[in-house]
Amino acid sequence: MRVVESINRALHDLMETNSRLVILGEDILDPYGGAFKVTKGLSSAYQDRVWTTPISEGGIVGMAAGLALKGRPVIVELMFGDFIALAADQIINHAAKFRWMYNDQVEVPVIIRAPMGGRRGYGPTHSQSLEKHFCGVPGLTVLATHEYADPGALLHRAFAARSPHLIIENKVMYARPVLGTAALPRPPDADIVIVTYGGCVEHAVAAAAKLAAEEEIATTVVAVEQLSPFPYEDVQRQVGNCTRVVAVEEGSPGWGFGSECARALIGRVKYFSALAGPDHPIPSSREWEDDVLPGVSAIQAACLDLFRKG
Amino acid sequence: MTSSIAPNSTFSQLEVHAGATPLGLELPTVVRFYQQMMLIRLLEERLLDLFSQGLLFGTTHTSIGQEANAVGVVNALDRDRDIVWSNHRCHGHFIAYSGEVEGLIAEIMGRITGVCGGRGGSQHLCFRNFHSNGIQGGTTPVAVGTALARKEEGAVAVAFLGDGTMGEGAVYESLNLASVFGAPVVFVIEDNEIAQTTPKALTVSGSIVARAEPFGIRTFAYDGNDPVEIFELAREAVGYARAESRPCWLYLRTERIGPHSKGDDTRPALRLEQARARDPIPPMRRRVANFEAIDAFCRSVVDRAVESAAAAPLARG
Ligand SMILES: Cc1ncc(C[n+]2csc(CCOP(=O)(O)OP(=O)(O)O)c2C)c(N)n1
Ligand SMILES: [Mg+2]
């Protein structure tokens, strides 16, 4: 099963078992089934609960919060994760605040699904990884899907929590097969640990394989599913006694995943480095994207560099 | 107030040679418009070819069927001082403004010779006072700001929007801002009755034509696909915005003949047929005697542009 089917199946299951659940998004009706086909089949199966919307990202997310507040849970699909910027106010100042601000008298079971990431040549407004801007927002849980876990199960978990969740999906990953946790490299007594999430996991795994084959460096990959609140203890536990850690993310450098990893591991590891995307927008040129997004060779080089330090 | 021009009419055929430059600015109106429209049409058909051959990556939104809007509106502008804000479907607007065929193709091919050096790609273009961006509606308040910045110089800003983009709140904030601050902005609405795969009837309520009027914004409306008529109406709208320092709303009913992007047209065959029936090119061919010569000229411009773009270095990091 591919990632897109895993998410699609979970959406079907959730719609089947929750008769009040609504799915909202742009161009999500069949036969198109959404820009990345994640909602395929849903509008045919649940005609009255799959609503294709105007191009109104702020409005849709706000409407979802209202529906959810009064008893109708919602899953919103943002066509491209980049458009979450238009919904920022609804997420930060409305959906995520209601429960605490209203003294826990209400709940807001809304899930926002956002396809992020580059490597498709879509250019500066359709290739970003904007999740860090929504991490650290009280009341909002940010998750990132990857194929070395179970994308469908992640969606089920988010739904069960009955609170605002943002799920970061990755456009390239949709077509990847679901491999499961067992496929992540976890050699005993690893020389290096790569901590990463989302679309970077596959590159980290490939880099780990090359490090093992070419340099006999044992590399563990820790793939984080929950970005915010950041799972400090879980990351510490998974890094264990290893003294070298490389953190990898696709978003812009600074104030991000790498910083949180450093905060989790400060005083625990001896050598740490962080890789991120460029500190400029994502270029349209495909080749240029590959040059500036952290890929297999950049991760491998960062690991080698750390290994040689001691 | 709504004014409109009925689609028409009889013209005597013009026999003129193709222009010396891509925009053919020296040519008589009808021939010039035909040449610009063909340049856009052939360029975009070539882009779709290159995509299907796997020679292009990313995305593209062609304006096939909507060329008369681009040509009619942009030719009503003063290219030296007026400002254009375009959207994802920007190639036609861009070519009518700049004539930079090679700069556009190279941009989409990710070459350093592209108008934005391979950074922006198909929907993020900048050339002199032409700009486009890929976020629906987001450019509208920016267009208001640029119009205010340059109104003392007599400049007007044009913002192109689709029917689907009527969903974005920023559009309505911009109407209010433009009216309150007296910004000479011509909001050009290209209503092709579809947004990506969503028919207008599903997501746009009420009247698009009547949307701006409650903001105290004058409206010009046209239903047809004749570049000369669009040009005349656009000239009236632009002249009004410039003379009065006021925004206006130029509504153009049009048809998207091609897919939204590539191979993603979900419209029923009958609806597509209706769209094709309003193709603006065939009626123009009846008005331009030597259209074959112009076609050949445009094709050679596109061919040469693809060739030199392909030979240029890739933009790399
Ligand atoms: C904020 C935002 N939301 C969604 C999109 C994705 N998108 C690109 S074009 C488009 C449809 C636009 O329809 P319309 O405004 O009618 O213009 P047309 O494509 O018909 O020219 C959509 C939904 C986007 N680019 N930006
Ligand atoms: Mg449209």
Side-chain angles (χ1 to χ4, degrees):
Chain A
M1 197 191 316
R2 296 178 309 153
V3 169
V4 62
E5 285 132 13
S6 173
I7 300 169
N8 179 264
R9 182 168 298 182
L11 289 170
H12 273 280
D13 291 347
L14 287 168
M15 286 296 272
E16 186 60 40
T17 48
N18 300 277
S19 63
R20 303 279 289 161
L21 175 61
V22 175
I23 293 181
L24 296 179
E26 294 162 11
D27 295 282
I28 60 174
L29 299 188
D30 289 335
Y32 191 61
F36 296 100
K37 312 301 164 207
V38 181
T39 56
K40 223 173 171 63
L42 287 157
S43 67
S44 305
Y46 308 97
Q47 220 168 358
D48 54 338
R49 292 191 286 131
V50 177
W51 303 351
T52 200
T53 68
I55 308 172
S56 312
E57 292 78 10
I60 303 163
V61 170
M63 186 170 88
L67 280 158
L69 206 55
K70 299 298 172 191
R72 300 213 61 176
V74 182
I75 298 175
V76 181
E77 169 170 299
L78 292 174
M79 182 186 282
F80 280 77
D82 308 69
F83 310 153
I84 197 171
L86 287 88
D89 177 62
Q90 288 298 335
I91 295 170
I92 296 169
N93 286 323
H94 299 273
K97 282 205 173 34
F98 287 148
R99 183 172 180 158
W100 190 90
M101 184 167 78
Y102 295 154
N103 201 21
D104 296 334
Q105 299 177 86
V106 299
E107 57 178 14
V108 187
V110 168
I111 296 173
I112 300 163
R113 299 182 26 250
M116 297 279 189
R119 301 184 197 273
R120 299 272 302 233
Y122 288 156
T125 62
H126 287 62
S127 310
Q128 301 168 89
S129 300
L130 296 180
E131 50 271 18
K132 73 173 177 186
H133 302 293
F134 293 83
C135 290
V137 173
L140 179 70
T141 304
V142 184
L143 305 174
T145 296
H146 63 85
E147 69 270 51
Y148 289 87
D150 182 341
L154 189 72
L155 194 59
H156 277 284
R157 244 179 13 248
F159 186 81
R162 300 193 65 82
S163 64
H165 276 60
L166 169 60
I167 302 186
I168 307 303
E169 297 167 2
N170 180 279
K171 298 176 201 109
V172 176
M173 192 196 293
Y174 283 133
R176 301 285 190 252
V178 175
L179 300 167
T181 324
L184 278 177
R186 297 201 64 90
D189 300 320
D191 298 305
I192 295 187
V193 175
I194 304 170
V195 187
T196 186
Y197 72 92
C200 287
V201 176
E202 65 171 276
H203 304 293
V205 170
K210 291 186 83 175
L211 286 164
E214 294 167 14
E215 317 279 347
E216 294 187 354
I217 295 176
T219 309
T220 281
V221 175
V222 172
V224 176
E225 261 188 315
Q226 179 168 316
L227 301 182
S228 182
F230 194 80
Y232 298 100
E233 282 172 18
D234 184 48
V235 168
Q236 288 161 359
R237 190 180 50 74
Q238 293 207 61
V239 168
N241 296 325
C242 187
T243 57
R244 306 180 192 93
V245 170
V246 176
V248 183
E249 68 198 295
E250 191 176 311
S252 59
W255 295 96
F257 182 77
S259 323
E260 288 314 296
C261 289
R263 187 174 162 197
L265 299 171
I266 196 159
R268 292 171 174 265
V269 299
K270 209 160 159 202
Y271 302 101
F272 178 88
S273 69
L275 282 183
D279 59 358
H280 54 68
I282 309 294
S284 167
S285 153
R286 250 323 265 119
E287 292 76 14
W288 194 348
E289 275 191 292
D290 279 339
D291 291 341
V292 294
L293 297 176
V296 179
S297 49
I299 298 172
Q300 195 182 356
C303 289
L304 264 180
D305 190 46
L306 223 56
F307 187 73
R308 290 190 180 129
K309 278 192 175 139
Chain B
M1 182 176 43
T2 301
S3 57
S4 68
I5 298 176
N8 75 37
S9 67
T10 46
F11 287 80
S12 57
Q13 282 215 333
L14 282 156
E15 174 112 35
V16 187
H17 293 294
T21 59
L23 289 181
L25 293 179
E26 66 287 358
L27 296 171
T29 308
V30 173
V31 186
R32 169 167 42 116
F33 287 4
Y34 178 72
Q35 179 167 310
Q36 294 179 7
M37 286 166 66
M38 273 317 287
L39 196 60
I40 297 168
R41 174 69 57 97
L42 292 172
L43 181 158
E44 293 198 309
E45 285 178 350
R46 178 64 70 83
L47 288 178
L48 290 176
D49 274 357
L50 292 169
F51 264 106
S52 53
Q53 291 166 35
L55 295 172
L56 286 184
F57 283 102
T59 189
T60 192
H61 308 92
T62 64
S63 60
I64 295 171
Q66 303 184 187
E67 296 91 344
N69 302 344
V71 168
V73 171
V74 174
N75 281 283
L77 299 175
D78 176 349
R79 287 187 181 78
D80 288 331
R81 59 178 168 169
D82 291 341
I83 299 158
V84 181
W85 284 96
S86 179
N87 53 8
H88 59 297
R89 209 171 296 290
C90 59
H91 305 159
H93 310 146
F94 174 79
I95 292 300
Y97 175 87
S98 70
E100 289 287 318
V101 176
E102 190 188 331
L104 175 58
I105 291 178
E107 183 60 35
I108 299 173
M109 290 177 95
R111 308 293 155 149
I112 59 170
T113 49
V115 283
C116 288
R119 296 181 180 193
S122 166
Q123 53 182 339
H124 312 101
L125 304 175
C126 178
F127 180 82
R128 298 197 188 129
N129 281 326
F130 180 100
H131 313 267
S132 68
N133 204 358
I135 299 294
Q136 300 303 316
T139 54
T140 8
V142 187
V144 174
T146 56
L148 290 171
R150 294 286 171 85
K151 78 174 186 180
E152 265 103 65
E153 295 156 42
V156 162
V158 167
F160 284 97
L161 303 167
D163 49 291
T165 303
M166 297 300 103
E168 291 291 4
V171 172
Y172 304 96
E173 297 183 26
S174 304
L175 290 178
N176 192 48
L177 288 165
S179 193
V180 165
F181 290 106
V185 182
V186 182
F187 298 96
V188 180
I189 317 312
E190 294 186 88
D191 179 4
N192 55 17
E193 300 203 320
I194 191 159
Q196 198 145 335
T197 66
T198 304
K200 184 172 78 167
L202 280 187
T203 52
V204 183
S205 62
S207 160
I208 295 180
V209 179
R211 260 172 167 64
E213 215 144 353
F215 292 91
I217 291 176
R218 183 168 163 191
T219 296
F220 301 83
Y222 175 74
D223 182 354
N225 233 344
D226 182 325
V228 180
E229 290 175 354
I230 293 170
F231 167 71
E232 278 160 7
L233 191 63
R235 209 163 45 171
E236 204 185 325
V238 169
Y240 164 79
R242 203 187 310 280
E244 308 290 327
S245 226
R246 292 290 304 162
C248 63
W249 187 253
L250 175 56
Y251 170 89
L252 303 174
R253 172 73 179 80
T254 187
E255 288 290 357
R256 190 190 89 199
I257 292 179
H260 168 69
S261 174
K262 307 152 281 165
D264 56 357
D265 207 326
T266 50
R267 289 175 290 182
L270 182 66
R271 184 66 190 82
L272 265 175
E273 223 171 274
Q274 288 167 350
R276 285 197 204 101
R278 287 175 54 136
D279 188 338
I281 300 275
M284 287 298 279
R285 285 201 167 142
R286 292 193 283 275
R287 288 150 75 173
V288 178
N290 58 325
F291 67 84
E292 276 123 338
I294 292 176
D295 293 2
F297 170 74
C298 293
R299 194 163 285 118
S300 75
V301 170
V302 172
D303 284 347
R304 262 181 292 140
V306 172
E307 231 170 82
S308 46
L314 284 165
R316 307 290 306 238

